[in-house]
């Protein structure tokens, strides 16, 4: 369910329980209320989170210039926050999380605290967030006056005790198997790869770390970061998977939220996490893929790929068949094509670049496609990052929840979906299949709900989002009482708050700057369609 899938891997490859208060180093610290169905272990984790937060509040963060190879220039500063590997054992092994920040651009009187960001994944790094200020991004200019922009690498990601499941160069190597199986033998080969990948996660990451790669632990980490920043309450912006992290944080720590915006929302219902979520994606991706094909057809004067959706789809199938028979440039097969082309249904910003490469191929320029879709084996740092992102994605989704272990179920569900929604279905299945043979205990998802002290949450969602379908926003809206939903109608780019749409931008600014929301939910017209 990643929102930024590495192109190299389209795989062949709450409040009713006990309120615990611990008197600690920094005085009395309230642990979050555990949900009624929580086990004793979760209560221990709640106490552990309170202990870790008290420790972090006392320690603070030793802010320095960022390491040169992080690509974060002054005045952005970097530091680390220590958190327990296992919150049930807060005095046991600690890991360091990388954080960065840039101070508010307004006066000290205008400052309203820290705005902490998560871009999704699971497996995405938030460290680029302060660069929105240094790049003078106009969408965020007003908010930047009032807030320090704070990013972090979640546990397991990037500079925060990074995990791995396989050799990065092997991970990106191409061409991979066609994700769409032609035979039972193809399915068997993919199942073997998925099992080996799951075993690789255990071998390369270790059981102790792998068992603790969960969304609730990342939410606890977020609360420790809040304390280390010296903030009593957090202001939070989460996109895609970051909305689920926000939903879990808001459930576990409702009284620690000052303001929260969730953008492009994962359906937080326990039964949706994560098997059903990925099946739902397959349906939504097909719809958004068709939207893109309609746009390509409408702009045939620029792209010459056909004047109807069917004509554009025929070109796609022709390209796919060619790449299957003889990988383009020896490296771009159907899996690599999908890795590149799926960015179009993800993000409107990819519409023109993807259509341009597609068009060039049929005009006789195959190199543009190879450059865009093939892995760069010389980019070892980028390949390490891609492999790490996929490892975290897999570890969190597989450990967060119980997955079906019956291959028969996977086979039936994906065969059925593929018949109507072939664009992404099998590729998504293989990406997630390691969860069927996951080598560590799988948890039960948090029951997301409104707890005491949770403020009004602002929810932003487009109706045709492929990665996080619209019903997810409606579900979270129901669960977070008093929340407001802004719907961008007839749009589908994943991640709405960063786009130029005054109807949305003005409301995001008003909420973050004044805490005010509209008296009722709002529907906005779509942002501008890309122009070739």
């Amino acid at each position: 369910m990643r929102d930024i899938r590495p192109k190299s891997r389209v795989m062949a490859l709450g409040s009713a329980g006990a309120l615990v208060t611990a008197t600690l180093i920094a005085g009395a610290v309230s642990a979050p209320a555990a949900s009624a169905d929580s086990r004793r272990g979760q209560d221990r984790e709640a106490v552990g989170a309170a202990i870790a937060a008290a420790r972090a509040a006392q320690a603070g963060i030793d802010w320095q210039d960022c390491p040169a190879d992080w690509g974060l220039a002054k005045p952005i500063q970097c530091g680390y926050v220590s958190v327990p590997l296992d919150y049930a054992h807060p005095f046991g092994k600690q890991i360091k999380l990388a954080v960065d920040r840039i101070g508010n651009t307004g006066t000290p009187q205008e400052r309203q605290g820290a705005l902490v960001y998560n871009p999704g994944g699971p497996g995405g790094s938030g460290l680029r967030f302060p660069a929105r200020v240094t790049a003078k991004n106009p969408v965020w200019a007003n908010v930047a006056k009032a807030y320090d922009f704070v990013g972090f690498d979640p546990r397991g990601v990037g500079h925060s005790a990074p995990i791995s499941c396989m050799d990065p160069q092997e991970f990106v190597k191409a061409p991979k198997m066609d994700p769409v199986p032609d035979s039972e033998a193809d399915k068997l080969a993919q199942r073997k790869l998925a099992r080996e990948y799951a075993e690789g996660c255990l071998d390369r990451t270790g059981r102790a770390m792998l068992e603790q790669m969960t969304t609730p632990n990342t939410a606890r980490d977020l609360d420790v970061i809040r304390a280390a920043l010296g903030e009593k309450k957090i202001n939070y912006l989460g996109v895609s998977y970051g909305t689920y992290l926000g939903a879990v944080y808001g459930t576990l720590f409702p009284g620690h939220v000052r303001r929260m915006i969730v953008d492009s929302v994962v359906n937080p219902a326990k039964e949706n996490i994560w098997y059903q979520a990925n099946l739902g994606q397959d349906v939504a991706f097909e719809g958004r893929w068709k939207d893109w094909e309609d746009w390509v057809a409408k702009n045939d004067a620029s792209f010459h790929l056909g004047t109807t959706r069917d004509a554009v789809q025929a070109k796609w199938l022709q390209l796919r068949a060619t790449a299957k028979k003889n990988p383009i440039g020896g490296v771009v097969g159907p899996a690599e094509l999908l890795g590149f082309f799926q960015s179009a249904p993800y993000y409107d910003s990819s519409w023109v670049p993807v259509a341009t490469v597609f068009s060039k191929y049929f005009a006789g320029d195959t190199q543009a496609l190879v450059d865009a879709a093939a892995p760069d084996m010389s980019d070892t740092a980028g390949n390490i990052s891609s492999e790490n992102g996929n490892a975290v994605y897999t570890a969190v989704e597989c450990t967060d929840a119980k997955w079906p272990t019956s291959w028969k179920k996977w086979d039936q569900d994906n065969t059925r979906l593929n018949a109507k929604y072939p664009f992404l279905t099998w590729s998504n299945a293989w990406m997630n299949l390691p969860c069927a043979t996951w080598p560590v205990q799988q948890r039960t998802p948090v029951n997301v709900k409104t707890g005491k002290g949770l403020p009004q949450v602002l929810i932003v969602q487009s109706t045709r989002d492929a990665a996080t379908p619209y019903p997810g926003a409606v579900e979270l809206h129901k669960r977070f009482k008093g929340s407001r939903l802004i719907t961008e109608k007839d749009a589908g780019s994943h991640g709405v708050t960063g786009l130029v749409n005054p109807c949305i931008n003005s409301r995001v600014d008003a909420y973050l700057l004044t805490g005010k929301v509209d008296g009722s939910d709002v529907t906005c017209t779509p942002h501008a369609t890309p122009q070739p």
Side-chain angles (χ1 to χ4, degrees):
M1 163 114 214
R2 294 207 69 201
D3 42 27
I4 308 167
R5 293 174 193 233
K7 67 185 180 189
S8 51
R9 157 134 167 133
V10 186
M11 191 178 170
L13 30 134
S15 62
L19 186 66
V20 190
T21 305
T23 305
L24 303 162
I25 317 159
V29 180
S30 292
S35 61
D37 58 356
S38 70
R39 298 169 311 221
R40 200 168 297 158
Q42 288 174 308
D43 292 341
R44 285 176 63 199
E45 288 168 330
V47 173
I51 290 169
R55 225 167 23 205
Q58 195 176 55
I61 300 170
D62 180 17
W63 295 109
Q64 306 278 347
D65 291 344
C66 301
D69 61 348
W70 289 18
L72 299 163
K74 286 195 271 194
I76 298 170
Q77 295 178 300
C78 291
Y80 287 98
V81 175
S82 286
V83 300
L85 175 63
D86 179 356
Y87 280 93
H89 299 95
F91 299 105
K93 182 176 166 59
Q94 309 290 304
I95 56 174
K96 283 183 161 36
L97 305 182
V99 292
D100 68 343
R101 71 163 182 191
I102 190 164
N104 73 305
T105 61
T107 63
Q109 291 74 29
E110 285 176 285
R111 185 179 178 276
Q112 294 193 41
L115 178 63
V116 185
Y117 174 70
N118 180 272
S125 165
L127 292 180
R128 298 294 311 161
F129 184 54
R132 294 187 188 184
V133 181
T134 52
K136 297 185 165 48
N137 184 321
V139 170
W140 296 99
N142 293 330
V143 174
K145 285 181 187 169
Y147 291 94
D148 305 345
F149 278 29
V150 176
F152 72 105
D153 274 350
R155 58 172 54 208
V157 175
H159 305 291
S160 296
I163 69 166
S164 172
C165 292
M166 68 184 291
D167 175 74
Q169 295 297 100
E170 279 299 308
F171 173 76
V172 302
K173 208 157 72 177
K176 303 197 184 300
M177 278 179 69
D178 184 349
V180 179
D182 288 325
S183 63
E184 290 303 313
D186 285 354
K187 291 177 184 176
L188 207 58
Q190 294 280 20
R191 289 172 66 191
K192 181 171 181 282
L193 286 171
R195 184 183 290 273
E196 287 170 354
Y197 187 81
E199 289 164 356
C201 293
L202 184 63
D203 290 346
R204 293 174 72 94
T205 295
R207 183 174 298 277
M209 181 77 175
L210 204 59
E211 285 179 336
Q212 302 302 325
M213 289 295 298
T214 67
T215 302
N217 275 340
T218 304
R220 294 175 187 113
D221 294 343
L222 186 56
D223 200 59
V224 178
I225 290 169
R226 171 201 59 75
L229 290 166
E231 303 286 345
K232 287 203 162 38
K233 296 191 175 191
I234 200 172
N235 304 284
Y236 177 77
L237 170 63
V239 182
S240 189
Y241 165 79
T243 67
Y244 183 60
L245 175 59
V248 172
Y249 183 84
T251 301
L252 296 181
F253 302 94
H256 294 179
V257 180
R258 181 175 178 267
R259 289 184 193 144
M260 179 182 285
I261 297 182
V262 286
D263 170 1
S264 305
V265 181
V266 171
N267 184 331
K270 286 170 79 167
E271 61 274 13
N272 189 60
I273 305 298
W274 287 103
Y275 181 74
Q276 287 300 329
N278 282 284
L279 297 181
Q281 259 192 332
D282 301 338
V283 177
F285 259 95
E286 198 71 31
R288 193 61 179 161
W289 172 250
K290 287 173 177 170
D291 291 350
W292 178 72
E293 289 183 324
D294 287 338
W295 174 85
V296 172
K298 192 175 153 195
N299 289 285
D300 185 60
S302 297
F303 302 120
H304 316 295
L305 291 162
T307 56
T308 65
R309 180 201 297 170
D310 287 349
V312 177
Q313 176 69 2
K315 283 278 200 287
W316 160 249
L317 294 175
Q318 183 186 335
L319 173 58
R320 207 183 182 293
T322 303
K324 185 179 174 79
K325 196 172 174 187
N326 287 304
I328 296 153
V331 283
V332 178
E336 290 70 37
L337 282 179
L338 199 52
F340 172 61
F341 274 82
Q342 70 185 4
S343 66
Y346 257 113
Y347 305 112
D348 289 10
S349 58
S350 295
W351 280 20
V352 173
V354 173
T356 302
V357 169
F358 195 11
S359 175
K360 281 181 175 176
Y361 173 82
F362 278 103
D365 178 0
T366 57
Q367 193 56 44
L369 182 60
V370 173
D371 292 344
D376 178 358
M377 300 306 287
S378 69
D379 180 17
T380 49
N383 297 339
I384 288 167
S385 178
S386 285
E387 191 280 325
N388 168 244
N390 198 83
V392 175
Y393 166 86
T394 310
V396 173
E397 291 211 358
C398 294
T399 311
D400 259 359
K402 292 169 178 63
W403 287 69
T405 55
S406 154
W407 166 246
K408 188 179 174 186
K409 177 165 177 59
W410 286 76
D411 194 16
Q412 283 177 343
D413 286 347
N414 287 285
T415 300
R416 172 178 53 80
L417 277 175
N418 183 69
K420 276 183 79 174
Y421 313 103
F423 178 72
L424 195 70
T425 296
W426 276 115
S427 146
N428 215 7
W430 305 129
M431 183 169 180
N432 292 290
L433 190 60
C435 299
T437 57
W438 197 236
V440 301
Q441 182 195 354
Q442 294 176 318
R443 309 294 184 94
T444 302
V446 167
N447 181 29
V448 169
K449 60 183 178 181
T450 311
K452 188 180 175 188
L454 186 74
Q456 285 192 293
V457 171
L458 189 64
I459 301 170
V460 189
Q461 178 80 31
S462 61
T463 54
R464 297 192 62 74
D465 190 316
T468 53
Y470 185 73
V474 176
E475 182 66 26
L476 184 60
H477 187 25
K478 272 191 243 166
R479 287 167 180 261
F480 274 177
K481 290 185 173 60
S483 60
R484 279 286 170 269
L485 173 59
I486 300 174
T487 300
E488 190 183 25
K489 198 170 188 289
D490 300 326
S493 199
H494 188 57
V496 177
T497 50
L499 303 174
V500 176
N501 186 335
C503 176
I504 294 167
N505 306 144
S506 61
R507 286 175 167 86
V508 167
D509 281 2
Y511 173 73
L512 286 173
L513 297 174
T514 71
K516 293 195 175 108
V517 295
D518 290 87
S520 58
D521 294 339
V522 175
T523 301
C524 293
T525 54
H527 62 273
T529 306
Q531 295 301 312

